[in-house]
């Protein structure tokens, strides 16, 4: 073999080994890149799930706080309902009596201020007198026979006023129903 041929053969071998080494490094880098991309995708997915979970947690705790405040105000207003009942009874008695006008006016003033304040908090009276009996709003405590056909199934008398708070019944109206 000639010296030239040996050099060419040696150069070819060196070229092949360098090419093989480069291809091995490229392959290794591609594998590393694929693993890195997988890790990044997994981390991104974990991050998005964590953010969604945190957002749900934040929303849930906010809702729970609102419900807690609402429940506290509901309980407070429920506690004031007997006071409203007493004011209504006092007004009824004062209007039927010959007591001074000052007592009537004072009681009316107290009742209207208390009722006005509670209305600003979402309290509403359930209108029942002469309305159709509705089990969603009324609680029948008695039945009363009536002669007129149009009064049957209607509220004949209101024994205790019912109330709603922000559209939700907090106390049913206790009524007498005509039969």
């Amino acid at each position: 073999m000639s010296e030239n041929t040996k050099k060419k053969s040696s150069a070819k071998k060196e070229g092949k080994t360098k090419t093989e080494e480069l291809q091995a490094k490229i392959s290794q880098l591609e594998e590393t890149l694929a693993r890195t991309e997988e890790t990044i995708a997994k981390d991104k997915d974990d991050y998005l799930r964590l953010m969604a979970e945190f957002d749900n947690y934040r929303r849930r705790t906010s809702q729970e706080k609102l419900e807690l405040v609402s429940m506290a105000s509901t309980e407070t207003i429920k506690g004031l309902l007997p006071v409203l009942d007493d004011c209504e009874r006092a007004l009824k008695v004062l209007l039927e009596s010959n007591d001074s006008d000052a007592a009537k006016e004072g009681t009316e003033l107290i009742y209207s201020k208390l009722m006005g304040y509670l209305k600003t908090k979402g309290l509403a009276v359930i209108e029942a007198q002469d309305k159709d009996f509705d089990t969603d709003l009324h609680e029948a405590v008695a039945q009363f026979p009536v002669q007129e056909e149009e009064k049957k199934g209607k509220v004949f008398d209101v024994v205790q006023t019912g109330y709603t708070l922000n559209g939700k019944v907090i106390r049913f109206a206790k009524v007498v129903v005509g039969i």
Side-chain angles (χ1 to χ4, degrees):
M1 239 201 246
S2 74
E3 191 69 31
N4 242 353
T5 315
K6 284 183 182 178
K7 282 183 182 179
K8 283 183 182 177
S9 174
S10 174
K12 278 185 182 179
K13 283 182 184 177
E14 269 185 42
K16 281 185 179 179
T17 55
K18 283 188 178 183
T19 305
E20 288 172 354
E21 285 177 15
L22 286 175
Q23 285 177 344
K25 281 192 175 198
I26 289 172
S27 172
Q28 193 178 29
L29 288 173
E30 286 174 345
E31 286 176 15
T32 305
L33 179 62
R35 282 194 306 269
T36 304
E37 286 175 346
E38 268 182 37
T39 304
I40 290 172
K42 182 184 174 297
D43 289 347
K44 183 179 179 183
D45 184 58
D46 289 348
Y47 173 76
L48 290 174
R49 288 178 189 273
L50 184 63
M51 288 303 296
E53 194 174 312
F54 178 72
D55 192 42
N56 289 339
Y57 167 77
R58 190 170 36 91
R59 210 173 304 132
R60 186 175 59 250
T61 55
S62 293
Q63 184 66 28
E64 287 172 357
K65 285 178 186 177
L66 286 175
E67 287 174 5
L68 184 63
V69 168
S70 174
M71 183 59 94
S73 67
T74 300
E75 291 303 315
T76 302
I77 290 174
K78 278 183 181 179
L80 290 173
L81 292 182
V83 176
L84 280 177
D85 294 339
D86 291 343
C87 283
E88 288 174 356
R89 282 188 214 101
L91 281 172
K92 192 174 185 180
V93 168
L94 284 171
L95 291 175
E96 293 172 358
S97 73
N98 292 329
D99 287 342
S100 73
D101 288 336
K104 292 176 188 175
E105 288 177 19
T107 306
E108 281 180 7
L109 181 66
I110 291 168
Y111 176 76
S112 64
K113 280 186 178 182
L114 180 59
M115 194 61 181
Y117 172 75
L118 293 174
K119 281 183 179 180
T120 64
K121 299 302 177 190
L123 186 73
V125 174
I126 295 175
E127 296 298 328
Q129 188 69 42
D130 298 324
K131 304 280 186 197
D132 287 332
F133 178 70
D134 182 359
T135 56
D136 292 335
L137 301 173
H138 309 129
E139 179 183 333
V141 293
Q143 295 179 338
F144 187 79
V146 290
Q147 299 299 324
E148 299 86 16
E149 193 64 36
E150 66 272 357
K151 289 191 177 183
K152 289 186 178 183
K154 294 199 182 266
V155 174
F156 183 74
D157 188 27
V158 179
V159 177
Q160 188 178 43
T161 307
Y163 296 96
T164 61
L165 184 63
N166 298 322
K168 182 181 173 189
V169 176
I170 60 171
R171 185 171 81 183
F172 293 95
K174 293 184 179 32
V175 297
V176 176
V177 181
I179 55 168

